[in-house]
Amino acid sequence: MRHTASVFLILAFIWLFNSGHYTALLLSLGLLSVAFVAWIAHRMDIVDRESQPIHLTLKLPGYYWWLFRKILAANLDVAVRAWRGPSAISPCIGSIPVNQTTDMGRVIYANSITLTPGTVAMRLDGDTIIVHALTREGLSELHSGEMERRVRELEE
């Protein structure tokens, strides 16, 4: 039920933010429409832990901050390697083990790899991710497991 309440609150916020009209009639009609949509979503059983990951709410800002710093550092590394030329690039493909316990954790891990410049998650197959990296160092950094560990902490 708390996931349905989360959907209700998110929809109400979006409606209020986009409406810009705060008369009693429009507020009551907005409340009715948001409640109706939340009720339909609840009846259709499409609101669950994965569609509304409210259990991640407190941990996400820390992970986003860490990922943001990682993306900045990787951007600088890719820019420097581009300026140095082909000798500074050693493209490679490798397999990275995935130890996340949920599908959401696996997807967050694969997306985090792709968001980081210089690496692309090409395929997610069960307990492995096939990754293309711009350099061997980038692939070995993924093998070190820091990103995997942080995603695992996020989903716990």
Side-chain angles (χ1 to χ4, degrees), residues 68-86:
F68 175 73
R69 291 190 335 247
K70 200 75 167 153
I71 289 170
L72 282 180
N75 266 314
L76 291 174
D77 181 55
V78 169
V80 166
R81 290 178 187 278
W83 279 103
R84 287 185 184 162

Side-chain angles (χ1 to χ4, degrees), residues 119-130:
T119 55
V120 175
M122 296 171 31
R123 181 181 312 159
L124 175 59
D125 282 330
D127 60 348
T128 60
I129 298 177
I130 307 300

Side-chain angles (χ1 to χ4, degrees), residues 46-123:
I46 58 172
V47 180
D48 59 5
R49 185 176 169 92
E50 284 193 6
S51 68
Q52 289 295 306
I54 54 179
H55 61 285
L56 300 179
T57 304
L58 296 177
K59 296 178 183 178
L60 271 179
Y63 180 73
Y64 282 160
W65 177 245
W66 174 83
L67 185 62
F68 175 73
R69 291 190 335 247
K70 200 75 167 153
I71 289 170
L72 282 180
N75 266 314
L76 291 174
D77 181 55
V78 169
V80 166
R81 290 178 187 278
W83 279 103
R84 287 185 184 162
S87 63
I89 297 171
S90 55
C92 56
I93 294 177
S95 176
I96 306 293
V98 177
N99 297 318
Q100 279 66 36
T101 57
T102 64
D103 288 340
M104 184 184 312
R106 289 181 179 91
V107 170
I108 290 172
Y109 185 34
N111 285 341
S112 297
I113 289 171
T114 300
L115 282 172
T116 308
T119 55
V120 175
M122 296 171 31
R123 181 181 312 159

Side-chain angles (χ1 to χ4, degrees), residues 3-5 8 13 15 22 30 45 60 66 70-71 88 93-94 96 99 112 118 133 138 147 153:
H3 297 290
T4 304
F8 177 84
F13 175 76
W15 188 90
Y22 304 111
D45 200 25
L60 271 179
W66 174 83
K70 200 75 167 153
I71 289 170
I93 294 177
I96 306 293
N99 297 318
S112 297
M147 184 180 287
E153 289 172 0

Side-chain angles (χ1 to χ4, degrees), residues 4-22 26-27 29-38:
T4 304
S6 171
V7 166
F8 177 84
L9 291 174
I10 290 170
L11 289 175
F13 175 76
I14 290 170
W15 188 90
L16 282 171
F17 182 73
N18 287 323
S19 170
H21 299 285
Y22 304 111
L26 288 178
L27 286 175
L29 289 174
L31 178 67
L32 284 174
S33 65
V34 166
F36 183 64
V37 169

Side-chain angles (χ1 to χ4, degrees), residues 134-150:
L134 189 63
T135 62
R136 295 194 190 287
E137 294 85 15
L139 194 60
S140 65
E141 186 176 336
L142 287 173
H143 277 291
S144 74
E146 180 184 7
M147 184 180 287
E148 189 272 333
R149 179 185 57 79
R150 288 185 181 265

